[in-house]
């Protein structure tokens, strides 16, 4: 079992043993994270205390997930075990009362086993910025992907001022996010006030003392960090958070009998969002979360956007400027923030959605023109297209729906209908 604690002061000497078990997040100097944020999140403004506690939990989960490789022998999706001791400024008893349920949520999210213990702590002093967006009545997560871009456009059609929040992990995504926000302002020049806030937060490559982290690239929990960040910003005005994602991917139907899901994140799964919101409210956090596209496929979202804009070419150009690829960090494959691999789940659903919505796709896919045999072999081996073809041929089964954890108010028939529509879009790839 991998054990992690979080400390806010870096000792003069960090041993190799301490570096394996301890994460460091000082208010100044070098720690385990690359970020302008201190542990109180003062850079964001006067964040509500339970929301800052929630974000510290998410930061620990993210760093632990990144630092324990899944590979064991020849099995790349080994179930790992984690035990985290999470420092909270608030009532540790309240957090410990929901620790088991929070751990169960994380099990569902990453496919691992999590154990959480919360301890009350004192945090170092930190400058607290003014609330920059006192007029905001909604916060919208905007990653730079197509779904979040459509969500940001939808928010612009509403009258309320709002904040787009972007998590900056890979610096190459930073300009994509900024460009998408600018394009939305151009497309809806008379829309509501739309602020955009980009926040850098990544795990460092090395620990204090020069000890190098081990590395796991799957990072299924990064989206939980993004969600906690959005809730922290929402807590400034105690307003709702939107996390836009097509409902088909959110339900995460298994592509094959040996897979738990479609290889996309489960952070927007309706059960996950409902349970996280309930548990976060129980400890006093701002936690009203909505997915405005929970009942739509990605192709339906694309078509809605095009109808709103009134021009298929302009809509296609806007969506093509977004990034949906899971492999943008693999530059040696020729996949950058301006390119897509063309073979991962995100790319294939994206391509099917352009086709389903009858929109021009000007995205650059590396798989359309293999740069060399090595890249061709790597991307073909990583392609989920065979699994998608098997999924489409098999069809949506009652057992697929029965295996889903659906919250109250979400019927099995609705889930099956949505998955069937999503499968019809994927059939356009075969």
């Amino acid at each position: 079992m991998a054990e992690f604690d979080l400390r806010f002061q870096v000792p003069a000497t960090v041993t190799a043993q301490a570096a394996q078990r301890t994460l460091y997040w000082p208010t100044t100097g070098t720690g385990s994270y690359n970020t302008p944020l201190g542990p109180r999140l003062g850079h964001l403004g006067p964040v509500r205390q339970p929301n800052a506690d929630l974000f510290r939990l998410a930061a620990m989960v993210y760093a632990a997930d990144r630092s324990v490789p899944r590979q064991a022998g020849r099995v790349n999706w080994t179930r790992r075990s984690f035990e985290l001791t999470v420092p909270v400024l608030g009532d540790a008893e309240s957090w410990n009362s929901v620790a088991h349920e929070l751990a169960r949520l994380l099990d569902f999210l990453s496919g691992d086993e999590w154990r959480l213990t919360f301890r009350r702590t004192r945090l170092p002093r930190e400058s607290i910025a003014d609330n920059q967006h006192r007029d905001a009545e909604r916060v919208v997560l905007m990653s730079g992907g197509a779904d979040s871009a459509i969500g940001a456009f939808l928010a612009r059609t509403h009258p309320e001022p709002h904040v787009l929040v972007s998590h900056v992990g890979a610096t190459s995504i930073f300009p994509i996010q900024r460009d998408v926000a600018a394009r939305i302002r151009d497309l809806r020049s008379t829309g509501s006030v739309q602020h955009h806030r980009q926040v850098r937060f990544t795990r460092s490559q090395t620990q204090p003392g020069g000890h190098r982290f081990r590395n796991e690239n799957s990072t299924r929990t990064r989206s939980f960090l993004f969600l906690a960040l959005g809730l922290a910003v929402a807590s400034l005005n105690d307003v709702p958070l939107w996390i836009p994602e097509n409902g088909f991917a959110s339900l995460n139907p298994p592509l094959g009998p040996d897979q738990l899901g479609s290889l996309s994140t489960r952070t927007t799964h309706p059960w996950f969002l409902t349970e996280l919101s309930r548990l976060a409210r129980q400890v006093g956090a701002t936690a009203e979360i909505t997915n405005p596209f929970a009942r739509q496929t990605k192709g339906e979202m694309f078509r809605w956007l095009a109808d709103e804009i009134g021009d298929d070419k302009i809509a296609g150009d806007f969506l093509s400027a977004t990034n949906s690829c899971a492999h943008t960090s693999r530059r040696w494959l020729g996949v950058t923030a301006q390119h897509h691999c063309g073979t991962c789940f995100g790319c294939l659903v994206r391509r099917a959605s352009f086709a389903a919505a009858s929109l021009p796709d000007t995205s650059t896919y590396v798989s359309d023109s293999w740069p060399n045999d090595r890249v061709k072999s790597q991307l073909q081996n990583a392609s989920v297209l065979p699994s998608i073809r098997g999924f489409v041929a098999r069809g949506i089964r009652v057992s697929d729906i029965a295996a889903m954890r659906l919250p109250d108010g979400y019927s099995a028939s609705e889930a099956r209908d949505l998955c069937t529509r999503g499968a019809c879009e994927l059939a356009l790839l075969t």
Side-chain angles (χ1 to χ4, degrees), residues 182-197:
R183 286 172 181 262
I184 291 171
R185 288 192 294 270
D186 291 341
L187 289 171
R188 297 284 301 195
S189 59
T190 59
S192 58
V193 175
Q194 188 171 75
H195 309 286
H196 184 208
R197 189 153 198 178

Side-chain angles (χ1 to χ4, degrees), residues 4 9 24 49 57 83 85 115 135 271 279 312 318 430:
F4 291 91
Q9 293 183 341
Y24 299 99
Q49 179 183 297
L57 165 63
E83 185 167 346
T85 302
R115 296 181 186 175
D135 61 339
W271 179 81
L279 295 172
D312 284 6
F318 170 64
T430 60

Side-chain angles (χ1 to χ4, degrees), residues 136-145 147-158 160-167 181 184 192-198 226-227 229-231 233-234 239-245 288-293:
E137 297 183 34
R138 179 181 295 113
V139 173
V140 182
L141 295 184
M142 206 276 284
S143 64
D147 289 11
S148 67
I150 297 173
F153 181 90
L154 174 63
R156 182 81 166 168
T157 68
H158 288 228
E160 304 88 0
H162 53 276
V163 183
L164 305 181
V165 172
S166 298
H167 169 234
I184 291 171
S192 58
V193 175
Q194 188 171 75
H195 309 286
H196 184 208
R197 189 153 198 178
Q198 294 176 284
F226 191 16
L227 185 59
L229 175 63
L231 286 173
V233 176
V239 296
L241 174 70
W242 277 9
I243 178 167
E245 177 79 13
E288 183 180 342
I289 309 169
T290 299
N291 178 2
F293 301 110

Side-chain angles (χ1 to χ4, degrees), residues 46-67:
V47 172
R48 197 168 181 171
Q49 179 183 297
N51 286 93
D53 290 338
L54 178 66
F55 186 83
R56 284 193 297 276
L57 165 63
M60 290 189 70
V61 168
Y62 167 70
D65 185 21
R66 285 287 319 274
S67 305

Side-chain angles (χ1 to χ4, degrees), residues 6-192:
L6 176 63
R7 300 291 174 176
F8 307 111
Q9 293 183 341
V10 180
T13 301
V14 177
T15 66
Q17 183 179 13
Q20 289 182 353
R21 299 167 57 98
T22 309
L23 300 167
Y24 299 99
W25 192 356
T27 54
T28 59
T30 303
S32 304
Y33 300 101
N34 291 318
T35 182
L37 300 179
R40 291 181 183 266
L41 308 187
H43 180 75
L44 299 178
V47 172
R48 197 168 181 171
Q49 179 183 297
N51 286 93
D53 290 338
L54 178 66
F55 186 83
R56 284 193 297 276
L57 165 63
M60 290 189 70
V61 168
Y62 167 70
D65 185 21
R66 285 287 319 274
S67 305
V68 179
R70 288 186 179 275
Q71 188 169 356
R74 296 185 178 182
V75 180
N76 291 324
W77 282 97
T78 320
R79 181 177 173 87
R80 303 164 298 173
S81 296
F82 296 93
E83 185 167 346
L84 308 185
T85 302
V86 186
V88 293
L89 190 59
D91 180 9
E93 290 186 8
S94 294
W95 282 97
N96 280 316
S97 70
V98 299
H100 177 73
E101 291 175 285
L102 281 171
R104 191 167 66 125
L105 272 183
L106 295 174
D107 294 350
F108 177 77
L109 178 63
S110 73
D112 300 302
E113 178 186 12
W114 295 83
R115 296 181 186 175
L116 306 175
T117 302
F118 295 89
R119 60 175 174 84
R120 186 174 174 83
T121 191
R122 296 180 63 183
L123 292 175
R125 292 186 178 274
E126 184 178 322
S127 297
I128 306 298
D130 292 334
N131 184 358
Q132 299 179 20
H133 311 301
R134 296 179 185 273
D135 61 339
E137 297 183 34
R138 179 181 295 113
V139 173
V140 182
L141 295 184
M142 206 276 284
S143 64
D147 289 11
S148 67
I150 297 173
F153 181 90
L154 174 63
R156 182 81 166 168
T157 68
H158 288 228
E160 304 88 0
H162 53 276
V163 183
L164 305 181
V165 172
S166 298
H167 169 234
V168 180
T171 54
S172 58
I173 296 297
F174 182 92
I176 298 290
Q177 296 168 342
R178 190 169 49 192
D179 177 62
V180 168
R183 286 172 181 262
I184 291 171
R185 288 192 294 270
D186 291 341
L187 289 171
R188 297 284 301 195
S189 59
T190 59
S192 58

